[in-house]
């Protein structure tokens, strides 16, 4: 299980530019589905990559799903040369995504976010409507299953407005 509070605190204190997407975004909007990782779209500017790497260093990030012993460093050159990173950390699994299907890059997503306080820290979370669009575009069976609940939450909010 991901220690969301630890990860959000580290990102917030380092002033990393990131947006919560995926299952945790659904939970932030009231979904009941369980998720075990944190998915974030991060800004790809050099200064932000430096802040991201520094914030994650204490958590010992390693690539998830690769053979044990495979050499890997979550450092500035690696992140700058890469794009999407599925990581295991001492605080749990976290995915840092430079770009996502149905949402694009950090800059593309900013207009479709809301700012929420989670564990006492402010963070951007993709809107419910955009989350539905992203899950639909991804097309994975688990994402398609989640859409019904997310649409129900959206419709419930629409009728109470």
């Amino acid at each position: 299980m991901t220690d969301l509070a630890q990860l959000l605190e580290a990102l917030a204190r380092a002033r990393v530019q990131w947006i919560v997407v995926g299952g945790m975004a659904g939970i932030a909007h009231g979904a009941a589905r369980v998720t075990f990782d944190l998915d974030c779209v991060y800004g790809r500017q050099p200064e932000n990559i430096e802040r991201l790497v520094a914030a994650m260093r204490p958590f010992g990030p390693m690539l998830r799903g690769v053979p044990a012993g495979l050499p890997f460093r979550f450092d500035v050159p690696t992140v700058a040369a890469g794009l999407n990173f599925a990581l295991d950390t001492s605080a749990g699994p976290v995915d840092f995504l430079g770009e996502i299907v149905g949402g694009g890059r950090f800059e593309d997503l900013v207009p479709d976010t809301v700012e929420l306080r989670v564990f006492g820290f402010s963070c951007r979370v993709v809107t419910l409507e955009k989350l539905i669009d992203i899950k639909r575009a991804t097309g994975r069976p688990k994402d398609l299953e989640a859409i019904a609940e997310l649409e129900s939450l959206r419709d419930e909010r629409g009728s109470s407005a």
Side-chain angles (χ1 to χ4, degrees), residues 13 30-31 53 57 63 84 115 117 134 149-150:
R13 288 195 188 281
V53 167
R57 190 172 294 123
L63 287 176
N84 295 338
E115 203 159 311
R117 290 206 53 88
I134 291 166
E149 179 184 16
L150 296 173

Side-chain angles (χ1 to χ4, degrees), residues 76-120:
V76 172
T78 299
V79 176
L83 186 64
N84 295 338
F85 298 89
L87 304 171
D88 280 327
T89 75
S90 61
V94 59
D95 295 351
F96 288 109
L97 310 165
E99 188 172 333
I100 59 171
V101 173
R105 300 165 301 155
F106 175 85
E107 297 79 11
D108 302 322
L109 279 174
V110 168
D112 294 307
T113 63
V114 292
E115 203 159 311
L116 300 176
R117 290 206 53 88
V118 182
F119 298 109

Side-chain angles (χ1 to χ4, degrees), residues 21-90:
V21 297
M24 290 291 183
I27 291 168
H29 287 294
R33 280 186 178 270
V34 175
T35 187
F36 298 100
D37 68 345
L38 174 63
D39 299 313
C40 299
V41 174
Y42 66 99
R44 298 273 304 149
Q45 304 79 11
E47 311 81 38
N48 196 59
I49 290 174
E50 289 174 14
R51 291 190 297 263
L52 173 63
V53 167
M56 293 307 298
R57 190 172 294 123
F59 301 105
M62 295 300 295
L63 287 176
R64 184 177 339 119
V66 299
L70 183 73
F72 174 74
R73 278 193 193 153
F74 191 74
D75 59 13
V76 172
T78 299
V79 176
L83 186 64
N84 295 338
F85 298 89
L87 304 171
D88 280 327
T89 75
S90 61

